[in-house]
Amino acid sequence: MMAMKHGPHAFEPVLTGAMAMNGTPLVRLSGLAKDYGEVRAVHPLDLAFEDGDFLAILGPSGCGKTTLLRMLGGFVEPSAGRIEIAGQDVTALAPEKRPTNMVFQGYGLFPHMSVRQNIGYGLRLRGLPRAEVDARVEEMIALVRLEAFAARPPSALSGGQQQRVALARALIMKPKVLLLDEPFAALDLKLRQALQDELRALHRKTGGTFVFVTHDQTEAMALANRIVVMEKGRVVQVGSAEDIYLRPASHFVSTFVGEANFLAATRAGDTVAIAGAFSFHAPGAPGQVEVGIRPERVRLGAAAETAEHRFRGRITDRLFLGAQVQYTVALDGGAAFTAVSGDAALAAGQDIAVGWNGADQWVVAQ
């Protein structure tokens, strides 16, 4: 399906439905790995995503996420594996030969060129007619709302405006896959949030496929429809923001994406038991496990009396956060729990019921 045009030269996004005609994913990574000498930066991985996806590669510094993105873009040569885009093997192709374009952290704008010249640079390199280049540049300037700044050099722009120029310069080339390497890392919180909104809008307008790297779990959940979580060079979970947050696959994912409380437990057969407390059905490998629960899913006081799982405890700390209050609770069993509640009436030192429902908990290996 092709996006509609508005006017004779309107910006035309990459063809949607660009998933290859034979039904294969738009991008498929097979056994992809990268070694630097004896150090394995990215362990062999298999990953596929579709046209129109907004994919976040999320993880802490040094987990291999930027290396993975640069292999996709052709800037880093894999040590093993294969990269296919729209059914074509691009593993050995140089960056300029791939149907991708990359926006780097530092923007990479030419300081001696105006906004208009920076955006049109790639099209001019391709030797397109002047009239076509000019028309497409003006459409992109309008798309990123920089009409009033088109004649200025990058030095006369704010960080957020420079980022929009970098996005426009990449999008004008109509890549099948737009790659973004922590594009908002250098910006302050409010500007970062504003540009996240703009990036979402650009994704909707262009219908393209975006892949971005971030260490910020809030950013990943705000932007992406699918999140790839990496730890120490391995992909440890792939899913929607809801999957990653509510059904984390490991202790690492539980704590990297949000806050979590844990109780030690044992699994035998299909039963998980917390000693001296309660047990429940949860199939999986036998042995020592942990039961996790998010702080905002923990109920306190009267609200806990109807919860499926209940403890007694004492509030040891109280932190007012505006719309909510964060409580630290010492359970009678010895564990410390964090609870976030809209009830501001509870006080430190107060004995209290603590509970949650089974649907709000998960089990991971210790």
Side-chain angles (χ1 to χ4, degrees):
M1 182 180 71
M2 186 178 299
M4 293 179 61
K5 294 183 180 182
H6 302 282
H9 300 291
F11 174 67
E12 180 182 313
V14 175
L15 292 180
T16 57
M19 184 168 66
M21 293 298 181
N22 61 5
T24 60
L26 176 64
V27 177
R28 185 189 295 278
L29 310 180
S30 304
L32 197 66
K34 180 60 183 178
D35 298 327
Y36 291 103
E38 296 184 359
V39 177
R40 174 144 282 185
V42 176
H43 292 261
L45 61 85
D46 297 319
L47 184 65
F49 51 95
E50 313 293 355
D51 177 62
D53 269 350
F54 201 142
L55 189 81
I57 303 174
L58 173 67
S61 297
C63 73
K65 58 187 185 294
T66 294
T67 300
L68 175 56
L69 191 77
R70 288 173 177 261
M71 284 194 285
L72 258 173
F75 298 98
V76 169
E77 181 181 358
S79 302
R82 178 183 175 98
I83 302 169
E84 295 176 57
I85 300 178
Q88 178 190 7
D89 184 354
V90 302
T91 313
L93 294 184
E96 67 273 12
K97 301 292 185 181
R98 300 188 183 202
T100 60
N101 215 319
M102 192 158 183
V103 178
F104 296 94
Q105 276 190 43
Y107 313 145
L109 303 179
F110 298 112
H112 61 287
M113 294 184 184
S114 67
V115 166
R116 185 176 282 111
Q117 291 168 331
N118 264 284
I119 293 173
Y121 178 75
L123 295 182
R124 293 196 301 273
L125 273 186
R126 286 186 178 177
L128 271 63
R130 172 77 178 270
E132 182 179 349
V133 172
D134 290 347
R136 286 173 62 177
V137 167
E138 294 309 314
E139 288 151 14
M140 287 307 307
I141 288 173
L143 188 68
V144 296
R145 298 184 294 109
L146 287 173
E147 296 94 330
F149 306 91
R152 296 187 185 183
S155 60
L157 304 178
S158 69
Q161 289 163 344
Q162 290 183 46
Q163 183 60 273
R164 281 190 270 164
V165 176
L167 285 168
R169 189 176 62 179
L171 285 168
I172 202 171
M173 305 306 293
K174 301 181 182 178
K176 280 184 167 49
V177 185
L178 179 66
L179 308 173
L180 302 113
D181 184 10
E182 303 216 47
F184 308 137
L187 306 176
D188 64 56
L189 177 60
K190 282 199 171 182
L191 182 54
R192 198 159 65 238
Q193 291 171 338
L195 284 175
Q196 287 169 10
D197 291 340
E198 293 193 11
L199 191 58
R200 273 197 304 271
L202 282 172
H203 182 253
R204 287 194 300 269
K205 289 176 184 177
T206 62
T209 303
F210 291 7
V211 181
F212 80 107
V213 157
T214 182
H215 63 273
D216 185 332
Q217 65 269 27
T218 302
E219 182 171 82
M221 290 192 289
L223 288 173
N225 69 299
R226 293 182 70 211
I227 299 173
V228 176
V229 184
M230 294 190 69
E231 179 192 15
K232 297 179 181 178
R234 302 180 188 275
V235 171
V236 292
Q237 190 168 357
V238 180
S240 67
E242 185 173 301
D243 289 335
I244 300 293
Y245 188 78
L246 296 179
R247 291 170 285 279
S250 67
H251 185 102
F252 168 78
V253 177
S254 302
T255 54
F256 188 74
V257 182
E259 302 294 329
N261 298 296
F262 291 100
L263 289 172
T266 303
R267 177 155 45 200
D270 290 345
T271 300
V272 171
I274 297 172
F278 59 85
S279 61
F280 57 93
H281 180 77
Q288 299 302 305
V289 296
E290 293 177 306
V291 178
I293 179 72
R294 298 289 182 195
E296 68 275 13
R297 300 301 175 109
V298 177
R299 301 181 183 185
L300 298 177
E305 298 298 342
T306 57
E308 292 177 42
H309 306 310
R310 293 184 298 280
F311 284 85
R312 295 298 301 179
R314 173 171 291 188
I315 297 174
T316 60
D317 196 15
R318 178 185 185 277
L319 181 61
F320 180 73
L321 301 175
Q324 295 178 312
V325 179
Q326 177 179 296
Y327 296 99
T328 303
V329 183
L331 303 184
D332 283 354
F337 254 43
T338 299
V340 175
S341 172
D343 184 355
L346 306 177
Q350 182 176 343
D351 290 326
I352 198 166
V354 182
W356 62 89
N357 287 332
D360 294 328
Q361 67 191 17
W362 65 90
V363 180
V364 294
Q366 281 191 3

